[in-house]
Amino acid sequence: MNFRRWVVFSFAMHVLVIALDKGAGLVLTLLLAENADFKGHADLLTNLPFILMAVGNLGLATSLVYFVRREQYDVQKVAETTSVVAVVWGTFVALLGMGVMLGVLPLLKPEWSARPGLWIPICACVPFLLLASYFNSIQLATGRVRDYNVVHVVTSAAFLPLFLLFFWLGGGGPAAAQAVALGRLAVAVMVAALVVWMLRGVVDLRLRLHVDFLRKGIAFGWKANVTSVLTYLNHRLDLLILPLLYLPVGLAGDEGIAKAIKAEVAFYSLAVTLAELVWHFPEALRDLFFSKVAGETHEQARKVTPVLSRLCLSVAVAG
């Protein structure tokens, strides 16, 4: 399949991912319609592991695509080093996140601090998410675009069934938040295993640190990682700030006011996710575009860049 067809395929897969994500959010909202504030809780629990993973990525997911496409590093060496980083550094970030939760949650949400079953699974997602991110980037770097997109589709498609399973096993409404946390952890483990299996004929899963690649990978990718984290927070920080600002106001009043404010925060969260649909148009082609340019000469890159830029801009304006 040529690059133009891969662009169309990647865009179609991204649209499917959006539909699955928003569909799952709609099902959660309808399933728990009497608990409007749960939508805000679900957003927090769903986004937190990806925020932790983005912070802990170190930019290696970006740099490995560049170095493999430029044939500066062997893909096996890259896989071994990123496996070590995912296991060791990912576990450290997870434990650090748990420590922060122990110190911060009692101040913000005392009722959540007494429920470690909510935040322990969320933090435990980080090593698996890092491994899945690194290995899926290897798929992109080695031209396995179909499998790269399939991983994203499976990530989105698997969450709702697993949530419903844990929701049912937990006895319904009171177990909703716990079901979200366990569902997110189960998806992370499953996707990590899937992407490692997909690459079984390309790389061997071995833990071996290659300091030269680690050093150059972080030096090359840290700027992209900072930009990625700031962009992600820019689209998610309001969903975290609003509950902290307004829910205490509602709790200080009567029960009716508190319920109304919780509902408004939940509706705002839903409105933001709908407005962000435009953002997803260029997002769908970003990684494929970077991989394409990384493997091209300077002159070839200069030719393809304006074409994709015009395409993304046109679709985003229409959206």
Side-chain angles (χ1 to χ4, degrees), residues 63-75 77-78 212-213 216-217 220 294:
S63 59
L64 75 84
V65 173
Y66 179 80
F67 288 129
V68 171
R69 291 287 292 168
R70 306 293 283 186
E71 298 182 352
Q72 296 185 16
Y73 281 96
D74 177 70
V75 67
K77 180 182 291 188
V78 167
D212 56 333
F213 167 72
K216 291 184 179 180
F220 179 86

Side-chain angles (χ1 to χ4, degrees), residues 95-109 112-116 119-120 123:
L95 293 175
L96 182 63
M98 293 178 189
V100 171
M101 293 295 182
L102 281 172
V104 175
L105 269 186
L107 302 177
L108 301 180
K109 301 283 289 183
W112 280 28
S113 63
R115 299 177 64 187
W119 46 267
I120 287 180
C123 292

Side-chain angles (χ1 to χ4, degrees), residues 35 131 160 228:
N35 300 307
L131 184 64
L160 183 59
S228 177

Side-chain angles (χ1 to χ4, degrees), residues 54-65:
V55 172
N57 187 276
L58 301 178
L60 291 177
T62 299
S63 59
L64 75 84
V65 173

Side-chain angles (χ1 to χ4, degrees), residues 10 59 92 120 191 223 306 316:
S10 296
F92 173 77
I120 287 180
V191 171
K223 294 180 181 179

Side-chain angles (χ1 to χ4, degrees), residues 53 56-86 129-144 148 195 199 202-203 210 212-225 287 290-295:
M53 186 271 288
N57 187 276
L58 301 178
L60 291 177
T62 299
S63 59
L64 75 84
V65 173
Y66 179 80
F67 288 129
V68 171
R69 291 287 292 168
R70 306 293 283 186
E71 298 182 352
Q72 296 185 16
Y73 281 96
D74 177 70
V75 67
Q76 180 62 41
K77 180 182 291 188
V78 167
E80 291 172 354
T81 303
T82 53
S83 297
V84 173
V85 173
L129 289 176
L130 280 178
L131 184 64
S133 174
Y134 292 149
F135 271 60
N136 208 30
S137 294
I138 291 175
Q139 294 206 115
L140 182 63
T142 53
R144 302 164 65 89
Y148 171 81
V195 72
L199 284 172
V202 179
V203 297
H210 300 275
D212 56 333
F213 167 72
L214 180 63
R215 183 178 64 253
K216 291 184 179 180
I218 294 176
F220 179 86
W222 74 268
K223 294 180 181 179
N225 193 51
D287 295 337
F290 175 71
S291 177
K292 171 70 173 177
V293 172

